[in-house]
Amino acid sequence: QAKMKSNDRISFYINEISEKIEQKFFLANYLFSAISNNELSIKYQPIFNINDKKIVGAEALLRWDNAVLGQVPPERFIPVAEKTGLIISMGEWVLKEVCNQIKLWEDKGFDLIPISINISVKQLENINFAKAAIEIMNNKHIIPEFIEFEITESVSSGDITRIVKNIKELKRYGIKISMDDFGTGFSSLGQLDLFELDKLKIDKIFIDDFVQVYKRQNLVKSIIAMAKSLNLVTVAEGIETSEQLSHLRGLGCQLGQGFIFSKPLTVEEIEEFFKKDGK
Ligand code: C2E
Ligand code: MG
Ligand code: MG
Ligand code: MG
């Protein structure tokens, strides 16, 4: 009887696994033609100086709108793009699109702000990544100070040699690098300086309940202190309340991003922001 039970359990797992695989294939099928069907777009979430509340940059966030599936959140399609290798062409699409947008803003006479782009570890493991990215920026005549790249702690478990080589090349070109979602992954502190970081983005989970939870405050405090001693600018992600904001200011966090300032915006919406900010 015990055997029956374990067989049941196994077939249950197999069913669950194959369902997950089916879902991935299902998404992947549509994702393959997302670029050629013009289904991708970018939203821009402003990043602010916590002290004077001036806009200092924006993060490019990919959106996928499919006729059958509707709006699919990046948390669902990015992992599929990574597994299928589609992330390489999608990442290039994002970079080109952001470069084009920066040129359009320049032509319209806006003061430019740096735009940060999320880069998957799969892209960084591609030996040609830095070379291809630099070629795109060069062709579009983009000044490197207006593009920043965000990497995640998953780089620690990737092909470090290739990743570090790409980052070195990008840094030499003048691209700033941020560690995104800091504190959620498994990067060893000893490896942090390998990636020649400029900024540390403290993940939303640390900001969420840190006004109430004393331990969390100490954690955020020590992340900020560590970042300072490593000469890194700190960015708090997912700030939603004024309490969180004033606490972060008190702890010396420099930059912030979150719904309290602004949600991710369309091009038209962020242009309104530029105008209001006297840009
Ligand atoms: P991320 O890079 O950590 O981006 C921040 C995410 O937090 C965004 O979700 C943003 O909309 C959300 N967010 C910002 N402020 C708040 C807040 O105050 N409250 C709440 N509840 N959420 C907030 P989004 O746009 O859904 O993106 C999710 C993730 O997908 C990103 O996390 C990033 O890891 C990935 N992603 C997005 N675009 C790209 C891309 O072009 N390439 C790659 N490789 N990954 C991307
Ligand atoms: Mg990010
Ligand atoms: Mg993040
Ligand atoms: Mg995140």
Side-chain angles (χ1 to χ4, degrees):
Q1 217 197 344
K3 198 161 185 202
M4 267 301 283
K5 266 190 188 152
S6 85
N7 278 344
D8 281 353
R9 215 175 299 144
I10 288 168
S11 69
F12 171 76
Y13 283 132
I14 289 175
N15 277 336
E16 201 173 67
I17 290 165
S18 60
E19 230 168 70
K20 278 195 180 132
I21 292 172
E22 256 169 49
Q23 276 176 20
K24 292 238 161 78
F25 271 115
F26 183 71
L27 268 195
N29 243 335
Y30 289 101
L31 202 54
F32 272 108
S33 45
I35 294 180
S36 55
N37 285 348
N38 278 319
E39 294 170 359
L40 299 181
S41 64
I42 292 174
K43 286 217 172 171
Y44 294 89
Q45 188 179 31
I47 300 169
F48 294 82
N49 180 319
I50 283 184
N51 287 304
D52 60 17
K53 297 191 177 171
K54 286 220 168 87
I55 185 169
V56 295
E59 176 172 7
L61 294 162
L62 190 54
R63 294 292 177 260
W64 179 30
D65 195 356
N66 176 271
V68 178
L69 306 169
Q71 293 262 4
V72 186
E75 251 112 32
R76 277 187 63 210
F77 71 79
I78 295 287
V80 177
E82 287 172 340
K83 282 202 186 78
T84 51
L86 278 171
I87 194 70
I88 304 295
S89 54
M90 287 172 77
E92 280 192 6
W93 183 88
V94 172
L95 180 60
K96 282 181 188 157
E97 187 69 15
V98 168
C99 288
N100 289 337
Q101 191 54 60
I102 290 174
K103 274 291 148 203
L104 286 173
W105 282 329
E106 195 177 16
D107 291 345
K108 285 187 173 178
F110 291 119
D111 282 344
L112 297 181
I113 52 170
I115 305 296
S116 45
I117 298 178
N118 293 287
I119 306 294
S120 149
V121 65
K122 289 283 171 296
Q123 292 171 273
L124 287 161
E125 282 178 337
N126 185 325
I127 347 171
N128 287 318
F129 174 69
K131 197 168 162 276
I134 289 169
E135 196 175 302
I136 290 172
M137 293 182 279
N138 257 334
N139 286 343
K140 309 266 181 188
H141 308 285
I142 297 294
I143 304 169
E145 77 182 79
F146 294 117
I147 301 269
E148 300 185 0
F149 284 166
E150 297 189 2
I151 64 176
T152 62
E153 288 172 283
S154 54
V155 288
S156 311
S157 49
D159 183 335
I160 295 279
T161 317
R162 286 184 175 198
I163 294 169
V164 168
K165 192 175 163 283
N166 274 318
I167 288 178
K168 277 209 153 58
E169 208 172 326
L170 291 163
K171 289 285 294 190
R172 216 180 307 125
Y173 184 71
I175 299 293
K176 287 206 173 90
I177 310 288
S178 305
M179 181 59 82
D180 200 1
D181 305 340
F182 183 73
T184 60
F186 295 98
S187 69
S188 80
L189 292 178
Q191 270 181 347
L192 269 185
D193 64 331
L194 255 182
F195 304 115
E196 299 188 41
L197 301 174
D198 299 282
K199 293 179 182 170
L200 214 60
K201 298 187 81 173
I202 307 168
D203 194 79
K204 180 179 186 302
I205 60 157
F206 296 100
I207 312 301
D208 277 345
D209 52 7
F210 94 125
V211 176
Q212 288 81 23
V213 185
Y214 189 68
K215 265 190 176 166
R216 286 262 144 146
Q217 279 183 42
N218 281 333
L219 206 57
V220 173
K221 202 169 163 179
S222 24
I223 294 176
I224 294 170
M226 181 202 68
K228 278 232 166 80
S229 68
L230 293 173
N231 258 323
L232 303 177
V233 172
T234 45
V235 190
E237 294 191 279
I239 311 172
E240 292 180 346
T241 70
S242 52
E243 287 81 16
Q244 291 169 338
L245 187 60
S246 59
H247 272 77
L248 284 163
R249 195 184 295 121
L251 294 178
C253 182
Q254 292 135 303
L255 309 182
Q257 184 179 354
F259 294 173
I260 189 168
F261 293 116
S262 166
K263 62 179 179 34
L265 304 172
T266 63
V267 167
E268 292 73 27
E269 287 168 335
I270 201 171
E271 286 180 355
E272 286 305 310
F273 239 104
F274 294 161
K275 287 173 196 158
K276 262 190 281 170
D277 217 52
K279 307 252 165 184

